[in-house]
């Protein structure tokens, strides 16, 4: 039995450990229960825990659907510690008057840096080179050893010209790349400000030496890079995905990399995620896979957690969220 509540702070459930700065801001105002494990809480645990809660702070690994929301009649806010929120049924939350918040902006530079790091790593075969040395194969300097691709002067195609796409374009300018972009709506303002050129989707794929994905995962972008898209790309092209795994069809990518349809790829995000250790993609020499860490700097992740706490606190107090996803 719950007994009589003497602590009248709003009740919040948090699905994972938060950095100290965010945690102390939250616990000052809210009565908090937390899942303090490394792996995500099972769906049923979240369902039971949110029954009496006004706020939920969750991660992109938690599936927050309509059924789950129905366990929580008092829920006022779902605060995601990420900018992407494809794990949350936004329409269902809006219907139920539940506000959703996310964390845009503070991870833009960290993510763009990382997309560029992957681009360079794939272009210059850094993963293969590390393996080569560790395997004791480094016997001499060779004129043709581990030849990669030139970045300076190459054509970068950015798909999705939101905050992160734009930040990647700024970095590419420093490498004197020619920058093409494709976006749901054309952006003449950015063409002027960043020196980027608009292309239709197919045209961008045909022209680019490097294709970097920066779209949200939606019904329209799921499987966007499929067998047809990969077929349009140059045999020397490199694909970089720091957006969401399901934007790329993994079987089509495997075929394209295995058969030299494109030269290489680097993925921070995969489908499924995590990728099982025996997944066929991990046998490919020309593929780099890292575990969804593009925003993983101490600064970014702390700021993300603090923004999520501010969204949550505003939501449980019935105030507008500082970083809203929906309007309720
Ligand atoms: C996000 O925020 O959506 C990233 O994928 C993780 O930082």
């Amino acid at each position: 039995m719950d007994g009589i509540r003497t602590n009248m702070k709003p009740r919040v459930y948090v699905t994972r450990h938060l950095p100290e700065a965010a945690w102390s801001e939250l616990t000052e105002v809210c009565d908090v229960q937390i899942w303090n494990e490394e792996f995500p809480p099972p769906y049923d645990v979240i369902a039971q825990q949110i029954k009496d809660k006004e706020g939920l702070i969750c991660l992109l690994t938690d599936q927050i659907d309509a059924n789950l929301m129905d366990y929580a009649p008092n829920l006022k806010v779902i605060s995601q510690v990420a900018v992407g929120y494809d794990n949350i049924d936004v329409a269902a939350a809006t219907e139920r008057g539940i506000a959703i918040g996310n964390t845009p902006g503070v991870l833009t530079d960290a993510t763009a840096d990382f997309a560029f790091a992957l681009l360079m790593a794939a272009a210059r075969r850094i993963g293969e080179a590390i393996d080569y040395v560790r395997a004791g194969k480094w016997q001499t300097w060779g004129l043709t050893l581990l030849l990669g691709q030139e970045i300076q002067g190459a054509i970068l195609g950015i798909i999705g010209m939101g905050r992160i796409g734009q930040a990647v374009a700024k970095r590419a300018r420093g490498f004197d790349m020619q920058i093409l972009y494709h976006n749901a709506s054309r952006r003449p303002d950015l063409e002027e400000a960043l020196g980027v050129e608009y292309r239709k989707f197919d045209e961008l794929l045909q022209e680019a030496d490097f294709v970097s994905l920066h779209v949200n995962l939606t019904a329209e972008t799921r499987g966007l890079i499929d067998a047809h898209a990969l077929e349009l790309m140059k045999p020397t092209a490199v694909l970089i995905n720091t957006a969401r795994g399901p934007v790329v069809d993994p079987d089509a990518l495997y075929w394209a990399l295995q058969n030299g349809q494109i030269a290489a790829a680097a993925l921070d995000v995969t489908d499924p995620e995590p990728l099982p250790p025996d997944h066929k993609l991990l046998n490919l020499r020309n593929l780099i896979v890292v575990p969804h860490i593009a925003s993983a700097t101490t600064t970014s992740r702390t700021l993300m957690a603090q923004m999520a706490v501010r969204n949550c606190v505003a939501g449980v107090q019935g105030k507008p969220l500082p970083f809203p996803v929906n309007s309720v």
Side-chain angles (χ1 to χ4, degrees):
M1 198 172 102
D2 235 2
I4 296 165
R5 277 183 76 196
T6 49
N7 175 357
M8 292 312 287
K9 288 176 172 178
R11 293 177 171 189
V12 169
Y13 185 59
V14 185
T15 65
R16 222 71 56 78
H17 169 80
L18 297 177
E20 181 49 40
W23 179 250
S24 50
E25 261 183 69
L26 181 66
T27 49
E28 215 169 278
V29 186
C30 298
D31 177 5
V32 187
Q33 265 168 332
I34 184 168
W35 176 264
N36 231 339
E37 310 285 329
E38 186 188 350
F39 296 109
Y43 183 88
D44 291 345
V45 169
I46 305 180
Q48 291 310 313
Q49 285 291 340
I50 61 173
K51 277 183 169 172
D52 62 349
K53 304 293 188 292
E54 284 98 56
L56 169 65
I57 298 184
C58 56
L59 303 195
L60 51 83
T61 43
D62 304 314
Q63 187 202 341
I64 313 294
D65 58 16
N67 172 60
L68 191 94
M69 292 173 203
D70 287 337
Y71 280 86
N74 304 323
L75 198 64
K76 293 183 180 163
V77 58
I78 298 169
S79 179
Q80 167 98 332
V81 194
V83 66
Y85 47 83
D86 47 276
N87 56 311
I88 303 173
D89 186 335
V90 178
T94 310
E95 255 172 47
R96 290 161 179 74
I98 303 170
I100 301 176
N102 71 338
T103 66
V106 292
L107 47 78
T108 300
D109 287 311
T111 306
D113 285 346
F114 199 80
F116 220 84
L118 286 182
L119 182 155
M120 297 182 79
R124 299 304 304 273
R125 304 173 61 183
I126 290 176
E128 284 176 75
I130 293 169
D131 290 347
Y132 182 87
V133 174
R134 290 215 165 126
K137 293 182 184 165
W138 187 19
Q139 304 291 331
T140 183
W141 185 88
L143 194 58
T144 56
L145 177 64
L146 285 162
L147 296 181
Q149 300 195 32
E150 199 75 22
I151 294 165
Q152 189 272 340
I155 303 175
L156 170 64
I158 297 177
I159 298 180
M161 208 46 165
R163 290 184 200 83
I164 299 171
Q166 291 170 43
V168 169
K170 283 186 195 155
R171 283 149 180 79
R173 287 186 65 167
F175 285 80
D176 293 329
M177 298 181 91
Q178 183 190 345
I179 308 161
L180 312 179
Y181 80 98
H182 179 78
N183 196 49
S185 56
R186 194 169 167 171
R187 296 287 306 268
D189 55 327
L190 298 178
E191 290 171 27
E192 178 73 23
L194 296 175
V196 297
E197 301 165 46
Y198 177 80
R199 290 289 188 277
K200 290 185 181 143
F201 182 67
D202 286 8
E203 291 169 350
L204 180 145
L205 293 175
Q206 283 162 337
E207 286 181 52
D209 297 308
F210 296 91
V211 174
S212 192
L213 304 175
H214 301 287
V215 290
N216 295 330
L217 178 62
T218 63
E220 289 73 43
T221 62
R222 186 175 287 275
L224 183 72
I225 304 298
D226 58 6
H228 173 67
L230 289 159
E231 206 178 302
L232 293 174
M233 291 171 69
K234 296 177 179 175
T236 50
V238 175
L239 177 71
I240 299 109
N241 189 8
T242 53
R244 281 292 182 269
V247 175
V248 178
D249 175 338
D251 292 323
L253 179 65
Y254 179 80
W255 196 93
L257 289 168
Q258 172 90 322
N259 293 287
Q261 197 172 50
I262 67 171
L267 310 177
D268 179 45
V269 287
T270 58
D271 180 20
E273 194 170 307
L275 212 53
D278 59 352
H279 196 284
K280 61 182 175 185
L281 279 172
L282 297 178
N283 295 326
L284 294 169
R285 167 201 62 74
N286 49 353
L287 176 67
I288 294 172
V289 181
V290 291
H292 202 152
I293 52 170
S295 69
T297 66
T298 307
T299 302
S300 259
R301 291 285 169 88
T302 303
L303 291 171
M304 286 163 67
Q306 285 178 306
M307 280 170 92
V309 163
R310 281 167 206 162
N311 275 332
C312 181
V313 168
V316 294
Q317 292 176 339
K319 297 179 186 161
L321 308 198
F323 311 100
V325 164
N326 58 350
S327 57
V328 287

